[in-house]
Amino acid sequence: AEGRGGAAHRALAAPAVRALARQLGVDLQSVPGTGPGGRVTKDDVSAARDGVDGRPAAAARPA
Amino acid sequence: MDTKTFDAVVIGAGPGGYVAAIRLAQLGKKTALVEKESLGGVCLNWGCIPSKALIAVANLVDEMRGAADRGIIADQPRIDVEKLRAFKNEVVKKLVGGVGTLEKGNGVEVLRGAGRFVAPNAIEVKGEKGEWRVEAPAFIVATGARTIQIPGFEFDGKDVWSAREAVDLPEIPKHLVVIGGGIIGLELGSTYARLGSKVTVVEALPQLLTGIDPEAVRVVQKNLRQREVAVHVSAKAKGLDRGKDGLAVRIEVDGKEQAIPCDKVLVAVGMRPDASGLGLDAVGVKIGPKGFVEVNERYQTSVPSIYCVGDLSGPPLLAHKASKEGEIAAEAIAGKKSVRDWVAMPAAIFTEPEVASVGLSEEEARKAGYEPVVGKFGFGALGRAIAIDHTDGFVKVVGDKGSGLLLGATIVGPEASDLIAEAALALEMGAYLEDVALTVHAHPTLPEALMEACKAALGEAIHALNR
Amino acid sequence: MDTKTFDAVVIGAGPGGYVAAIRLAQLGKKTALVEKESLGGVCLNWGCIPSKALIAVANLVDEMRGAADRGIIADQPRIDVEKLRAFKNEVVKKLVGGVGTLEKGNGVEVLRGAGRFVAPNAIEVKGEKGEWRVEAPAFIVATGARTIQIPGFEFDGKDVWSAREAVDLPEIPKHLVVIGGGIIGLELGSTYARLGSKVTVVEALPQLLTGIDPEAVRVVQKNLRQREVAVHVSAKAKGLDRGKDGLAVRIEVDGKEQAIPCDKVLVAVGMRPDASGLGLDAVGVKIGPKGFVEVNERYQTSVPSIYCVGDLSGPPLLAHKASKEGEIAAEAIAGKKSVRDWVAMPAAIFTEPEVASVGLSEEEARKAGYEPVVGKFGFGALGRAIAIDHTDGFVKVVGDKGSGLLLGATIVGPEASDLIAEAALALEMGAYLEDVALTVHAHPTLPEALMEACKAALGEAIHALNR
Ligand SMILES: Cc1cc2nc3c(=O)[nH]c(=O)nc-3n(C[C@H](O)[C@H](O)[C@H](O)COP(=O)(O)OP(=O)(O)OC[C@H]3O[C@@H](n4cnc5c(N)ncnc54)[C@H](O)[C@@H]3O)c2cc1C
Ligand SMILES: Cc1cc2nc3c(=O)[nH]c(=O)nc-3n(C[C@H](O)[C@H](O)[C@H](O)COP(=O)(O)OP(=O)(O)OC[C@H]3O[C@@H](n4cnc5c(N)ncnc54)[C@H](O)[C@@H]3O)c2cc1C
């Protein structure tokens, strides 16, 4: 069955956030989610990337 | 033999291949699409689409039969087989033509013929209009699956139909025996039943629609019973007798044999992957024990230049799974970082009523380490369902008790195939039961049942009593 | 006069009030529900539900008329008015009975009679079975709205119908003039047209369905034209002539008068809030200039013990808005921190085809400071729509160009009322266009059109050419 990978709960992130994380080479599991219910947001992913190499990521920010 | 060169070549123009080709072209790749029969593959030519055209008509016939209860005076409807077939063919023609237009519009070159690998970077295509050697740095194989035959019931297109013949509607048999009570068997079996056949379903396993929530299956089974479809489960099809009065299917149930007289047999026991004649072995592509080509998360096979998507790359054998994989493989070839990462792969079954599911069942959730909490809401208590007079069925959601995370949904009832989309999006978004429960749902509509089921899981149903 | 005391009292048992009462009881409050007519309010008795029961039958009649094209042989259907009305009544009875059962099951005491405030913490209820003084620390007023009359067209239940009479289906007039081309006018007008009436629609504004995407309205208008419904926009209804041969509605278009002979007139020019006879003024509840009661984000009025929800608390006048507000007010009274915080308030219109929308239109998005990007996908290119033979319409999504955030959706076409739910959830979840575009949608289903529209907005449509 498809799923969230069982009790080893994977990071809660929407498809666009997952795509951005792949794009930026960020490992979602290591990103603390600040969205509702601990969901990882695009901003979280961008921030994680900034943390890695100090460069601001070209991530879209919700208005 | 002429040689043609492309950036990427797709073999097989079903929903996996034709979508992959469009996506490759969109991403700037010079692309060829090789197809030996008809654009659209199984899905458009004798699968998803034509079966649903027939099913929609069967649904309408059914509604017409019950129309008197709602104050509509009309004769009992009859079927004009030729005209129905013509309608179905028209639907197929429109969509197959559409695929051709889309490929052309995106600049994909369609090569008519059967493709076969002669090297990891080259295939030969043999068609009626020509033969080419086609070279490319990347290939996507999307040649699908074929229907399984069983001994004693070899397809002859006359007495013994495969899904392909059944979907073509050669006639409406007086008595049709359907071997296989899975999705295709029940979709087509109940269609013929509504079009006027007496139908008997023979299933080897103890349950129809194996893999689907038994409570949902019971709703479908009740409907079959109401329309006097005979169902034999745990029944083995032993053989076919051809007498001068017609056919008889011999089955064995509980060690006892019986014969079911009939005039047609539909064998719908499943599909298996079809890699034959592709020369994959020869170029070193690894094929798994069940015949599915082995792929990584980008749908790349053991030979890096060769990708594989759709029915041939593994279950579930569904058109939208094929298309999604086609997109991912195309994007991977074009250098994007796409991988298989979906959370939700919905499945829809077009029986009466429809069944659809996505995510984890209660049992799967438990196995995955969650403490499942279940919420259910019956269409019998939903305004919209009562107003449209389709009240059989329910929405069932599974959540995680501790976190409140939504884990899965099963829907049986009116428009279940459409309603599952909201649940799939919820899963992809990482929604909690509360997210769906708190979202305003227009009244009176069917998706209110999903909202109520989520509320029920939280002990807060409005239109049902919370125990 | 007996005095009864409760923790909370709800006045009016429409979708706002009856839901509020259930929620209050769930949260442990000793609750009374006061209703002067029938449980369920406008919505269940002569609004949402019965209109949709009739519309579903009109849809079926329509399908039957076109069935021959799909190979179904049958007579042209006729309507048995008595039987259809009986079916509609049965639907209403079932749901109204259901509300009674739910109130009882949750421990809500239903008081039959008209309520009127005599103090901020007390009302008097006068009913046929008794009169009571009812005291409570908190009240929710949910007494809804009433149909607007226009001079010269006073409702008489004979020649001039309000929606209430029209929904009751007294007869199928030969020629029905509908004054008002808004939601209710078109839903009922097109229903009567399909049931057999000649229908003429007279709308004062230049567009039917004001407020709805004009491109979507055109799809509905095309359908009306096909069934020969005459539509006059920018037309003023001047008066009604009663001659011995029947009625004639005088209208003025472009300064010219004309008379439309007919045998019934339906006036459906809207609803206005109904606070009359509640004694709200006397206890100090502020009412706005348009007659709506002023409330804060918890639905509390200027008198802290009195809450107000539903049609009486302001637009949009929709049942699900009323229910949502009922839940919020009930939770606020029970000490929860609930407030009005929805992102998405979907609206569904049950014309042929259906129209539904949620979130921002392109223009609203621009006004709100976004740079809107629009994606559109027509049902004419969708497999499922072609298979069920309902290809008119489209899905249009609006997103923000910079961020890719989804801002709104308009759907016109088959099952639009159901399909809007996924878009509403997407908005509540803060989804990007990409989220919906990347979510796997089952094939062949109607929600695939929403996915394709989102892909189109991103320039990545698969089943349409991206310009
Ligand atoms: C009756 C029926 C109903 C179904 N209903 C549904 C449904 O409602 N929803 C759903 O999701 N799924 C449904 N399915 C399953 C669905 O049709 C398949 O999952 C889908 O078609 C798989 O797509 P594909 O791209 O992998 O391959 P296919 O659609 O099988 O296409 C493969 C194509 O490859 C071509 N080909 C094969 N070998 C070669 C070669 N050597 N060279 C060139 N071309 C080649 C074939 O001619 C064919 O056109 C149904 C199937 C059947 C039979
Ligand atoms: C023909 C028609 C079709 C419609 N279709 C839809 C639709 O498809 N979807 C949708 O969302 N909306 C629809 N609506 C609108 C919908 O019906 C209303 O928005 C909804 O009913 C409002 O609910 P409410 O709780 O505010 O009040 P109401 O439903 O108006 O209920 C108010 C109740 O209060 C009672 N009452 C009034 N005064 C007193 C008093 N003093 N004491 C005791 N009781 C009192 C009344 O008897 C009534 O039962 C439709 C309306 C009409 C007319």
Side-chain angles (χ1 to χ4, degrees):
Chain A
E2 314 301 333
R4 286 188 164 77
H9 299 189
R10 57 187 267 184
L12 278 189
V17 176
R18 303 197 302 260
L20 179 67
R22 279 197 305 274
Q23 198 61 41
L24 299 180
V26 168
D27 173 18
L28 270 181
Q29 296 298 338
S30 67
V31 181
T34 66
R39 276 189 286 264
V40 180
T41 66
K42 284 193 179 186
D43 282 351
D44 295 337
V45 171
S46 304
R49 155 70 179 260
D50 292 350
V52 170
D53 62 8
R55 274 193 302 128
R61 250 164 243 273
Chain B
M1 194 183 284
D2 278 0
T3 297
K4 286 174 172 267
T5 311
F6 296 91
D7 295 337
V9 174
V10 181
I11 309 171
Y18 88 72
V19 168
I22 291 172
R23 192 76 186 114
L24 280 162
Q26 273 179 2
L27 294 170
K29 297 284 164 192
K30 187 179 171 224
T31 305
L33 175 60
V34 182
E35 170 57 56
K36 71 177 163 69
E37 293 189 31
S38 174
L39 295 181
V42 171
C43 183
L44 266 64
N45 291 284
W46 56 274
C48 331
I49 294 297
S51 65
K52 268 82 243 183
L54 297 183
I55 288 167
V57 169
N59 285 345
L60 177 52
V61 169
D62 222 31
E63 294 265 316
M64 289 169 81
R65 290 210 182 94
D69 300 341
R70 292 196 263 166
I72 303 178
I73 308 164
D75 265 359
Q76 284 302 301
R78 283 169 309 122
I79 303 298
D80 177 339
V81 178
E82 306 290 314
K83 201 141 182 201
L84 174 50
R85 192 186 315 118
F87 166 72
K88 182 269 296 176
N89 288 341
E90 209 40 58
V91 167
V92 170
K93 201 175 137 193
K94 198 181 245 170
L95 281 160
V96 169
V99 171
T101 308
L102 288 168
E103 301 297 346
K104 203 170 166 184
N106 280 290
V108 173
E109 184 168 339
V110 174
L111 301 176
R112 300 284 176 171
R116 181 190 176 84
F117 280 92
V118 292
N121 293 313
I123 60 170
E124 280 180 14
V125 177
K126 296 195 177 169
E128 286 178 9
K129 303 221 169 133
E131 300 194 1
W132 310 274
R133 179 183 166 89
V134 182
E135 296 180 356
F139 287 85
I140 298 178
V141 183
T143 52
R146 61 170 65 179
T147 41
I148 296 175
Q149 299 219 38
I150 49 176
F153 295 91
E154 283 73 20
F155 301 132
D156 59 14
K158 204 176 79 49
D159 296 339
V160 184
W161 292 348
S162 72
R164 186 167 198 154
E165 282 85 42
V167 164
D168 200 39
L169 193 75
E171 65 183 276
I172 297 173
K174 283 212 188 59
H175 186 165
L176 175 69
V177 172
V178 180
I179 299 180
I183 300 181
I184 296 178
L186 289 197
E187 284 190 358
L188 294 177
S190 73
T191 299
Y192 274 95
R194 283 174 291 169
L195 295 179
S197 298
K198 164 150 185 54
V199 171
T200 301
V201 176
V202 178
E203 166 60 49
L205 295 172
Q207 188 197 297
L208 297 178
L209 297 174
T210 314
I212 301 296
D213 182 333
E215 208 180 342
V217 176
R218 275 201 291 279
V219 176
V220 175
Q221 222 156 347
K222 181 183 143 200
N223 190 286
L224 291 173
R225 204 162 43 237
Q226 280 165 350
R227 56 184 81 257
E228 293 174 11
V229 171
V231 173
H232 301 274
V233 290
S234 305
K236 229 186 283 175
K238 305 280 282 183
L240 180 65
D241 295 336
R242 290 176 162 90
K244 64 176 185 333
D245 304 336
L247 310 172
V249 174
R250 271 180 292 109
I251 66 168
E252 190 187 302
V253 190
D254 287 336
K256 273 177 218 125
E257 271 212 11
Q258 54 177 289
I260 309 167
C262 62
D263 50 351
K264 294 286 169 203
V265 182
L266 162 60
V267 179
V269 295
M271 310 275 288
R272 59 181 175 69
D274 184 10
S276 63
L278 282 167
L280 288 175
D281 286 353
V283 293
V285 171
K286 264 202 204 130
I287 295 180
K290 290 187 172 166
F292 296 110
V293 170
E294 291 183 359
V295 292
N296 66 15
E297 60 174 8
R298 286 189 305 280
Y299 296 94
Q300 203 169 20
T301 69
S302 54
V303 175
S305 59
I306 304 179
Y307 290 68
C308 177
V309 303
D311 282 2
L312 185 55
S313 80
L317 275 58
L318 292 172
H320 44 283
K321 183 223 145 210
S323 295
K324 182 67 176 179
E325 293 181 343
E327 290 180 66
I328 295 171
E331 290 170 4
I333 289 171
K336 293 206 158 212
K337 297 202 170 156
S338 304
V339 297
R340 169 178 47 213
D341 79 332
W342 63 67
V343 176
M345 179 55 66
I349 307 176
F350 296 79
T351 41
E352 175 57 27
E354 295 180 354
V355 184
S357 65
V358 68
L360 304 182
S361 68
E362 190 178 353
E363 205 182 301
E364 288 166 340
R366 195 168 290 115
K367 276 191 196 140
Y370 295 102
E371 191 188 339
V373 52
V374 170
K376 218 180 111 179
F377 191 81
F379 285 109
L382 191 77
R384 177 68 175 163
I386 295 173
I388 64 173
D389 209 17
H390 283 281
T391 52
D392 279 349
F394 57 82
V395 175
K396 191 193 263 189
V397 296
V398 179
D400 179 42
K401 193 158 189 177
S403 63
L405 205 62
L406 177 70
L407 299 173
T410 297
I411 306 179
V412 54
E415 316 294 347
S417 64
D418 291 332
L419 303 183
I420 204 68
E422 186 188 356
L425 182 74
L427 289 176
E428 287 291 348
M429 298 301 296
Y432 295 85
L433 290 164
E434 218 181 345
D435 286 316
V436 181
L438 289 176
T439 295
V440 178
H441 284 67
H443 181 76
T445 64
L446 297 171
E448 288 177 279
L450 182 69
M451 171 182 73
E452 289 278 4
C454 289
K455 284 182 196 266
L458 298 166
E460 302 186 342
I462 291 291
H463 291 90
L465 293 175
N466 301 289
R467 281 148 298 168
Chain C
M1 195 183 282
D2 277 359
T3 297
K4 286 173 173 266
T5 311
F6 296 91
D7 295 337
V9 174
V10 181
I11 309 171
Y18 87 73
V19 167
I22 290 172
R23 192 75 185 115
L24 280 163
Q26 274 179 1
L27 294 170
K29 297 284 166 192
K30 188 181 169 221
T31 305
L33 177 59
V34 182
E35 170 57 54
K36 70 176 164 71
E37 292 188 30
S38 173
L39 294 181
V42 171
C43 182
L44 265 63
N45 291 284
W46 56 274
C48 330
I49 294 296
S51 65
K52 268 82 242 183
L54 297 182
I55 288 167
V57 169
N59 286 344
L60 176 52
V61 169
D62 222 32
E63 294 265 315
M64 289 169 82
R65 290 209 182 93
D69 300 341
R70 292 196 263 166
I72 303 179
I73 309 164
D75 265 357
Q76 284 302 300
R78 283 169 307 122
I79 303 297
D80 178 337
V81 178
E82 307 290 314
K83 200 142 182 198
L84 175 49
R85 193 187 312 120
F87 165 72
K88 183 268 296 174
N89 289 341
E90 207 41 56
V91 167
V92 170
K93 201 175 135 193
K94 199 182 243 168
L95 281 160
V96 170
V99 170
T101 308
L102 288 168
E103 301 298 346
K104 203 170 162 185
N106 280 290
V108 173
E109 184 168 339
V110 174
L111 300 176
R112 300 285 175 170
R116 180 190 177 84
F117 281 92
V118 291
N121 293 313
I123 60 171
E124 280 180 13
V125 177
K126 297 195 178 170
E128 286 179 8
K129 303 221 169 134
E131 300 194 0
W132 310 273
R133 180 183 166 91
V134 182
E135 296 180 356
F139 287 85
I140 299 178
V141 182
T143 51
R146 63 172 62 180
T147 42
I148 297 176
Q149 299 218 39
I150 49 175
F153 295 91
E154 284 74 21
F155 301 132
D156 59 14
K158 204 177 78 54
D159 295 338
V160 184
W161 292 347
S162 72
R164 185 166 198 156
E165 282 84 41
V167 165
D168 200 38
L169 193 75
E171 65 183 277
I172 298 173
K174 284 213 186 60
H175 187 166
L176 175 70
V177 171
V178 179
I179 300 180
I183 300 181
I184 295 178
L186 289 197
E187 283 189 359
L188 294 177
S190 73
T191 298
Y192 274 94
R194 285 174 291 168
L195 294 180
S197 297
K198 166 152 184 52
V199 171
T200 301
V201 176
V202 177
E203 167 59 49
L205 296 172
Q207 187 196 297
L208 297 179
L209 297 174
T210 315
I212 301 296
D213 181 334
E215 208 180 343
V217 176
R218 275 201 291 279
V219 177
V220 175
Q221 222 156 346
K222 180 182 144 202
N223 190 285
L224 291 173
R225 203 161 45 237
Q226 281 165 351
R227 56 185 81 256
E228 294 174 10
V229 171
V231 173
H232 302 273
V233 290
S234 305
K236 229 185 284 176
K238 306 280 282 184
L240 180 65
D241 296 334
R242 289 176 162 90
K244 64 175 188 330
D245 303 337
L247 310 172
V249 174
R250 272 181 290 109
I251 66 168
E252 189 187 303
V253 190
D254 286 337
K256 273 179 216 122
E257 270 210 13
Q258 54 177 290
I260 309 168
C262 62
D263 50 352
K264 294 286 168 203
V265 182
L266 163 60
V267 179
V269 294
M271 310 274 288
R272 59 180 174 69
D274 184 12
S276 63
L278 281 167
L280 288 174
D281 286 353
V283 293
V285 171
K286 266 202 203 130
I287 295 179
K290 289 187 172 164
F292 295 110
V293 170
E294 292 184 359
V295 291
N296 66 15
E297 60 175 7
R298 286 190 304 280
Y299 296 94
Q300 205 168 19
T301 68
S302 53
V303 175
S305 60
I306 302 178
Y307 292 68
C308 177
V309 303
D311 281 2
L312 185 55
S313 79
L317 276 57
L318 292 171
H320 43 283
K321 182 224 144 208
S323 295
K324 183 68 175 178
E325 293 181 342
E327 291 180 69
I328 295 171
E331 291 171 3
I333 289 172
K336 293 205 157 214
K337 299 217 163 134
S338 305
V339 297
R340 170 177 48 214
D341 77 336
W342 63 69
V343 175
M345 178 56 64
I349 306 176
F350 295 80
T351 41
E352 175 57 28
E354 295 179 354
V355 184
S357 66
V358 68
L360 303 182
S361 69
E362 190 178 354
E363 206 182 299
E364 287 166 340
R366 194 169 289 115
K367 276 189 196 144
Y370 295 102
E371 190 188 340
V373 53
V374 170
K376 216 179 112 179
F377 191 80
F379 285 108
L382 191 77
R384 177 69 176 161
I386 295 173
I388 64 173
D389 209 17
H390 283 281
T391 51
D392 279 348
F394 57 80
V395 175
K396 191 192 263 189
V397 295
V398 179
D400 179 45
K401 194 158 189 177
S403 64
L405 206 60
L406 177 70
L407 299 173
T410 297
I411 306 179
V412 53
E415 317 295 347
S417 64
D418 291 332
L419 302 183
I420 204 68
E422 185 187 356
L425 183 73
L427 289 176
E428 287 290 347
M429 299 298 298
Y432 296 88
L433 290 163
E434 215 183 346
D435 287 319
V436 181
L438 288 175
T439 294
V440 179
H441 284 67
H443 181 75
T445 64
L446 297 171
E448 288 178 278
L450 181 70
M451 171 182 74
E452 289 278 5
C454 288
K455 283 182 197 267
L458 297 166
E460 301 186 342
I462 291 292
H463 291 91
L465 294 175
N466 301 290
R467 281 150 297 168

